[in-house]
Amino acid sequence: MIRNFLIGLVLASFVYIFYNLYVSYEPKTELTGIAAHYAEQGAKEVGAANLVTAVVVTYRGFDTMGEVTILFLTASIIGFFLKLNKKDEKKVIIHKGTSELLVTSAQLLVPIIFLFGVYVFINGHLTPGGGFQGGAIIASGIALLIMANPNKEINHHAILWIESISGIMFVIIGLLGIALAGGFLDNRFISLGTFGDLFSAGAIPLIYSFIGLKVGAEISNILNKYQKSQKES
Amino acid sequence: MEYLNLGKISLLIGFILIIIGFWGILSQKNIIKIIVSFTILDTGINILIVSLGYIKGRTAPIIDASVPQLADHNVLNSIVDPVPQALVLTAIVIGFGVTALLLAYAMKLFKAKRTLEINQFNDLKW
């Protein structure tokens, strides 16, 4: 009883705060400050048609590196938590069998899903999407594979190598930005090219491809850990 | 309908999702349901942040031929704020990491006691 009362009290205070915020909210009518600068100069300075990508990869590139680091940290902690001993590694997952429909459609769809993921992160500077989204799409292909065959062996070493190499390449491209252009993760050491082309916006397609590969490998790694933790007798 | 434009509607949806998320976290007993409530709370906050950058009658911050431009790809008067969208991209990834960790903890807890009822985990209660 007192528990429900306290929960109600907390929620009512949230409703009160949010009601006041909602009533006093006035929609913006024009861009101000840093956003105005991005809208005015972003295309000229960075060369990316997708201004969100310009902000994420170049203007706030350091944030993105922290983000990728946090994902790596998550994958490591999950690996630490769900570690199996030698004896459990040999066990298999007992399941009631997967449906024919799922198995066949996985064979058909997984290559297409991978291709779509690669498309999304290579076109990150032109269309909605980018490295994180493309990586998540690739990992959803891995999830489909695991669902179609719960005992599927995912190549752990390949995932680890892809992840490490793309992480190192991301940092190296950032350092090249210091050496050849204005600062860390500056994309202008490769020519900006024609605005709106696939090979434009300097190093952004490269950086986002490496981010996409890294995110895809990390999420696949997490899925693989979850899959292995289900092994029993 | 003047008072209920798209920005206000998404703001309202964000607030409602945040309150539903807090209600779930506080009142549910099953750990999986608590984790789902966390993701609802996440989504609500993300919708809220995106709706703060909304400007009436403008388009997404992706410059192509259909976006009205002043000169030389200057789109000051035709796009919404790109900064909250970039922040939300970060927030979604962090939310994913938190959810994945929570699920790993839930798995570990289930292995320890073969139950997911939060009331059974009273080892640290005093």
Side-chain angles (χ1 to χ4, degrees), chain A residues 53-188:
Chain A
T53 298
V55 176
V56 167
V57 180
T58 309
Y59 291 117
R60 295 270 172 275
F62 213 61
D63 262 9
T64 306
M65 211 171 84
E67 218 175 318
V68 172
T69 316
I70 285 179
L71 259 187
F72 173 72
L73 198 65
T74 311
S76 337
I77 295 174
I78 288 175
F80 170 71
F81 257 102
L82 301 179
K83 193 168 167 28
L84 297 178
N85 50 27
K86 283 264 163 55
K87 207 172 73 210
D88 287 344
E89 286 275 1
K90 295 203 177 65
K91 292 175 179 171
V92 293
I93 301 167
I94 299 165
H95 59 96
K96 291 175 183 164
T98 47
S99 94
E100 185 64 39
L101 211 61
L102 190 60
V103 175
T104 314
S105 63
Q107 283 170 353
L108 181 71
L109 282 177
V110 166
I112 302 174
I113 291 175
F114 282 177
L115 189 66
F116 181 57
V118 172
Y119 170 83
V120 165
F121 67 63
I122 285 182
N123 282 285
H125 57 303
L126 302 175
T127 55
F132 294 99
Q133 297 88 328
I137 291 170
I138 289 179
S140 75
I142 301 272
L144 187 59
L145 271 182
I146 293 175
M147 265 158 55
N149 176 11
N151 281 312
K152 174 115 189 138
E153 284 289 329
I154 309 284
N155 191 339
H156 190 65
H157 291 288
I159 288 178
L160 277 185
W161 277 104
I162 291 173
E163 190 185 336
S164 328
I165 288 175
S166 29
I168 291 168
M169 287 306 292
F170 180 30
V171 177
I172 287 176
I173 290 174
L175 292 176
L176 279 177
I178 294 184
L180 304 172
F184 190 66
L185 282 172
D186 194 333
N187 65 326
R188 283 173 298 183

Side-chain angles (χ1 to χ4, degrees), chain B residues 81-114:
Chain B
D81 197 341
V83 179
Q85 303 197 4
L87 290 178
V88 163
L89 187 56
T90 312
I92 290 172
V93 176
I94 307 303
F96 165 78
V98 170
T99 312
L101 266 185
L102 286 172
L103 285 171
Y105 288 143
M107 221 179 252
K108 206 72 181 163
L109 286 175
F110 183 76
K111 273 192 182 147
K113 290 206 172 169
R114 310 304 293 179

Side-chain angles (χ1 to χ4, degrees), chain A residues 3 7 14-15 18 22 25 28-29 35 39-40 43-44 49 51-52 67 70 74 81 126 128 132 195 226 229, chain B residues 4 8 15 19 22 26 29 51 61-63 73-76 79 81 90 93 97 100 103 105 107-108 111:
Chain A
R3 187 167 166 275
I7 291 173
F14 268 113
V15 169
F18 288 157
Y22 179 74
Y25 168 73
K28 290 211 284 193
T29 50
E40 270 176 347
K44 212 183 298 168
L51 283 178
V52 178
E67 218 175 318
I70 285 179
T74 311
F81 257 102
L126 302 175
F132 294 99
F195 184 82
Y226 282 154
S229 73
Chain B
L4 213 63
K8 279 224 157 186
F15 284 146
I19 290 169
F22 269 116
L26 291 172
K29 298 282 198 301
S51 75
I62 296 168
I63 309 168
H73 309 304
N74 179 346
V75 283
L76 185 61
I79 60 164
D81 197 341
T90 312
V93 176
L103 285 171
Y105 288 143
M107 221 179 252
K108 206 72 181 163
K111 273 192 182 147

